[in-house]
Amino acid sequence: MNKKRITWIELLRIAACIGVIGIHAGSQHFRDTPLDSSIWRISNFYHGINRFAVASFIMISGTLYLDGKRNWSLKKLWTRNIFQIAVAYVFWQIFYAVYRIVMAGKPAIGSVSFFKKILIYCSESYFHLWYLPMLAGLLIVTPLLWEIVNCERSKKWEEYLILMFLLIKIIPYTVNCFSFPLKEYVMNVMHTVQPGMVVDYAGYFILGHYLSHYEISRKLERTIYILGISLILAAILLSQYMSPRVGRELQSYYENFTLAGFFWGSAIFLFFKNHVSKIHWSEKQEEIICRLGGYTFGIYLIHAFFRDVLHRAGIDSMMIGNTVIAIPIVMVCIFGLSCLAVILIKKIPVLGKWIV
């Protein structure tokens, strides 16, 4: 596989990263503002319009990992790809656990209770870090998916799938049949990689490969654009209409596995693949785009920290009267600080390579 970065994919990666920040910036006051207020409606709009982000990230991975020119090595897959994700996940789980304890002011740092609290926090993914176990799970089944979309070597991959089935599903299920101390937290750890979540998101994984490797008719492309735009707007409006009536915020209409999420994510992906890809960039511009695209993994991991820090400093979606302007300002601040932090972290010998 050609290791040269593809500009339109890097641009989509950057857009998806900004989209994730937009989701989290838009949802800062979802639960503490009136559901019929203009502030909540604007926040809901930003939260919904950025829902292409997760689907786009997974489709990008499917485009690259399922490419027919790629030769898979199980040793490299586990010792490099999956291990790197695992290291980053463990590091940031501990980082956010310690951060939350410090911000709460208890228990005392270094005490037995402190370390117990860290273990409890780390037993379940922090709100945005769920993506890493899901991605690791997809990489676990990627060789099988690669065979499905490229060739047939059934026996080898059937044995691999059976082994993963035992380790990820059968053993945790069996362990759950018994009672033992701290069972809840042990089971949380064992269910970090959830087979159901992996299988579900594999659909976007394969969709990315399909849309990037096969040409679809212009009529179908236009239909996807129309459906994507109309469904995501309808979902946002439906959320705004229904939430005050049920007395709680409803985000289910535009989540990742809805028709709105599916077609909106597909539309954004196709737009970058078929139209953004035709933009001519200078060599210097391409270098900047690809370098920034290489920072997005780290930005994704650390952006929640700066979101919270800025919120505590009063810089959030309600910092000024105009929420329409406030949210983009917060997004820019979070992205800029996260990017700067990633650049600095990458300069740290050894550690920088593994955690961002």
Side-chain angles (χ1 to χ4, degrees):
M1 181 180 180
N2 186 357
K3 293 185 178 181
K4 184 179 184 297
R5 289 182 177 269
I6 303 169
T7 307
W8 73 265
I9 287 182
E10 296 308 313
L11 284 167
L12 178 56
R13 201 191 301 273
I14 294 166
C17 184
I18 294 172
V20 169
I21 293 173
I23 291 172
H24 295 151
S27 62
Q28 280 182 310
H29 291 284
F30 248 38
R31 294 171 178 82
D32 58 11
T33 52
L35 298 173
D36 57 353
S37 66
S38 60
I39 293 174
W40 190 89
R41 287 193 290 268
I42 293 168
S43 297
N44 181 59
F45 175 81
Y46 277 105
H47 193 267
I49 207 69
N50 286 297
R51 296 299 296 205
F52 70 91
V54 171
S56 295
F57 270 135
I58 299 170
M59 291 163 74
I60 288 171
S61 296
T63 298
L64 300 176
Y65 283 113
L66 297 178
D67 190 285
K69 298 176 183 178
R70 189 160 195 155
N71 295 316
W72 279 105
S73 162
L74 290 184
K75 181 179 179 181
K76 181 180 177 182
L77 173 67
W78 279 94
T79 58
R80 181 175 176 181
N81 302 91
I82 295 174
F83 184 66
Q84 183 171 12
I85 291 173
V87 170
Y89 178 75
V90 171
F91 176 87
W92 289 105
Q93 278 282 86
I94 295 173
F95 173 86
Y96 283 110
V98 173
Y99 174 70
R100 283 184 283 175
I101 294 171
V102 171
M103 289 297 101
K106 56 182 181 180
I109 297 175
S111 66
V112 174
S113 297
F114 171 79
F115 290 106
K116 284 183 178 179
K117 194 71 172 178
I118 288 178
L119 291 175
I120 291 172
Y121 277 145
C122 289
S123 69
E124 192 171 5
S125 299
Y126 193 45
F127 79 93
H128 73 301
L129 293 181
W130 68 269
Y131 185 85
L132 272 68
M134 183 276 296
L135 181 59
L138 279 175
L139 289 178
I140 289 171
V141 300
T142 287
L144 176 64
L145 297 177
W146 189 94
E147 292 293 335
I148 292 173
V149 301
N150 289 289
C151 62
E152 291 186 21
R153 282 180 282 176
S154 58
K155 184 178 180 181
K156 178 180 178 180
W157 300 126
E158 281 182 73
E159 293 170 349
Y160 178 71
L161 187 60
I162 291 169
L163 178 61
M164 291 304 103
F165 182 55
L166 283 167
L167 294 175
I168 297 175
K169 185 66 177 180
I170 300 299
I171 293 176
Y173 190 94
T174 304
V175 171
N176 195 41
C177 295
F178 301 92
S179 298
F180 50 88
L182 300 175
K183 176 181 176 179
E184 177 186 355
Y185 303 116
V186 172
M187 294 312 302
N188 280 341
V189 172
M190 297 190 76
H191 288 146
T192 296
V193 177
Q194 301 175 38
M197 183 166 63
V198 172
V199 172
D200 292 340
Y201 280 103
Y204 281 120
F205 205 61
I206 295 172
L207 180 62
H209 174 270
Y210 183 88
L211 292 178
S212 63
H213 284 73
Y214 299 101
E215 294 297 329
I216 64 174
S217 66
R218 290 190 176 183
K219 183 178 180 180
L220 179 56
E221 183 181 354
R222 284 196 297 270
T223 301
I224 292 174
Y225 289 150
I226 292 170
L227 286 172
I229 295 171
S230 59
L231 286 173
I232 196 64
L233 291 178
I236 292 170
L237 291 173
L238 188 58
S239 177
Q240 293 180 356
Y241 176 79
M242 290 299 299
S243 293
R245 283 158 179 77
V246 300
R248 61 183 176 84
E249 66 283 349
L250 291 176
Q251 307 169 42
S252 55
Y253 303 115
Y254 48 62
E255 288 182 343
N256 295 326
F257 294 120
T258 61
L259 284 173
F262 176 87
F263 281 106
W264 182 228
S266 299
I268 296 294
F269 186 91
L270 277 175
F271 179 76
F272 274 79
K273 184 247 179 180
N274 292 341
H275 300 285
V276 175
S277 62
K278 295 177 181 178
I279 299 175
H280 177 73
W281 306 95
S282 68
E283 186 175 338
K284 183 65 175 178
Q285 288 172 328
E286 285 190 354
E287 181 184 346
I288 294 172
I289 291 169
C290 293
R291 184 175 299 171
L292 189 57
Y295 295 152
T296 54
F297 180 64
I299 292 172
Y300 177 87
L301 294 172
I302 203 172
H303 84 276
F305 169 72
F306 286 108
R307 171 183 179 263
D308 189 71
V309 169
L310 290 171
H311 174 67
R312 292 175 184 276
I315 303 174
D316 61 17
S317 58
M318 291 182 65
M319 64 181 177
I320 58 176
N322 192 331
T323 310
V324 175
I325 298 174
I327 291 177
I329 292 174
V330 173
M331 290 169 62
V332 170
C333 290
I334 294 173
F335 186 88
L337 289 171
S338 299
C339 185
L340 179 60
V342 170
I343 292 172
L344 295 175
I345 293 172
K346 279 186 173 292
K347 296 182 181 297
I348 302 174
V350 183
L351 184 65
K353 175 185 176 182
W354 289 98
I355 64 172
V356 292

